[in-house]
């Protein structure tokens, strides 16, 4: 089954404790992206990647890191999480690094930073 | 810059119609529409490319006015299953590798 898989689905942690949210897709998609969703603000892009070893900042990249060493994986790293990073996070992928392609979303990761 | 969606929320009775608008201050290459049920991931509905095309799927259709940088989503004879939050996502360039900027969402509630 074609899917985007995120782990963990839920995480409660404390300020400053490094964490990684994994994202993996099995559709051989070139493009992958991370979004955060907060009430009233919609989906805001954190980072995106057009292919292996090619990443770029989205609209809200501060406090986050990403890497794209393999085509299927695009982990999101919070080196020193803070409470303002409490949010619902989605990973997405699409077929091609050009425009006009639908994005496929993972089920989301709900992070709570205390 | 984030596109602006209107209205922010709408309540319908089953069978009624609704229109959701999405406006951008930038020239657009494409507009995407997604629907998100509470607690779930956004699900792709349709994409419109510049050229003023119109698309439809069942009783949901959309248009894209390239000159005005606006897109509208039309929900006809709404069903209970249409409830959710609708997001438009905009791309400003073919060459930006699929970078999407989403609107703030429109919450649609369909009542029996």
């Amino acid at each position: 089954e074609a899917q985007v898989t995120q782990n963990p689905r839920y995480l409660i942690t404390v300020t400053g404790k490094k964490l990684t949210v994994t994202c993996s897709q099995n559709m051989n998609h070139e493009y992958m992206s991370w979004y955060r969703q907060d009430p009233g603000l919609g989906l805001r892009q954190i980072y995106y990647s057009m292919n292996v070893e090619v990443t770029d900042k989205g609209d809200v990249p501060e406090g986050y890191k990403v890497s794209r060493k393999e085509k299927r994986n695009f982990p999101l790293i919070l080196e020193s999480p803070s409470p303002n990073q409490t949010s619902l996070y989605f990973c997405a992928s699409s077929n091609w690094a050009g425009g006009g392609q639908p994005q496929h979303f993972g089920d989301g990761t709900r992070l709570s930073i205390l | 810059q984030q596109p602006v969606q209107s209205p922010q929320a709408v309540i319908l009775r089953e069978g009624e119609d609704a229109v959701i608008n999405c406006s951008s201050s930038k020239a657009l290459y494409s507009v995407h529409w997604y629907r998100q049920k509470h607690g779930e991931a956004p699900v792709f509905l349709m994409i419109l490319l510049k050229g003023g095309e119109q698309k439809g799927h069942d009783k949901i259709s959309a248009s894209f006015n390239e000159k005005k940088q606006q897109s509208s989503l039309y929900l006809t004879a709404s069903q209970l299953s249409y409830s959710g939050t609708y997001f438009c996502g905009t791309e400003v360039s073919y060459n930006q590798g699929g970078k999407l900027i989403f609107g703030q969402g429109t919450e649609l509630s369909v009542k029996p």
Side-chain angles (χ1 to χ4, degrees), chain B residues 9-38:
Chain B
V10 59
I11 300 174
L12 299 174
R13 290 287 179 191
E14 218 174 349
E16 292 182 336
D17 302 339
V19 180
I20 299 171
N21 299 303
C22 175
S23 295
S24 174
S25 59
K26 294 188 173 184
L28 299 177
Y29 170 73
S30 75
V31 179
H32 298 218
W33 286 97
Y34 294 80
R35 176 170 63 207
Q36 184 180 31
K37 301 277 188 178
H38 184 69

Side-chain angles (χ1 to χ4, degrees), chain B residues 64-109:
Chain B
F64 177 23
N65 186 321
E66 184 184 347
K67 290 182 181 178
K68 293 186 177 181
Q69 307 309 323
Q70 290 177 349
S71 178
S72 295
L73 186 72
Y74 307 93
L75 300 104
T76 306
S78 58
Q79 305 167 17
L80 296 176
S81 61
Y82 287 2
S83 292
T85 302
Y86 290 78
F87 292 97
C88 68
T90 56
E91 288 179 286
V92 297
S93 169
Y94 171 91
N95 292 325
Q96 281 203 316
K99 179 176 168 61
L100 266 187
I101 302 175
F102 284 93
Q104 80 279 21
T106 296
E107 189 171 353
L108 179 76
S109 297

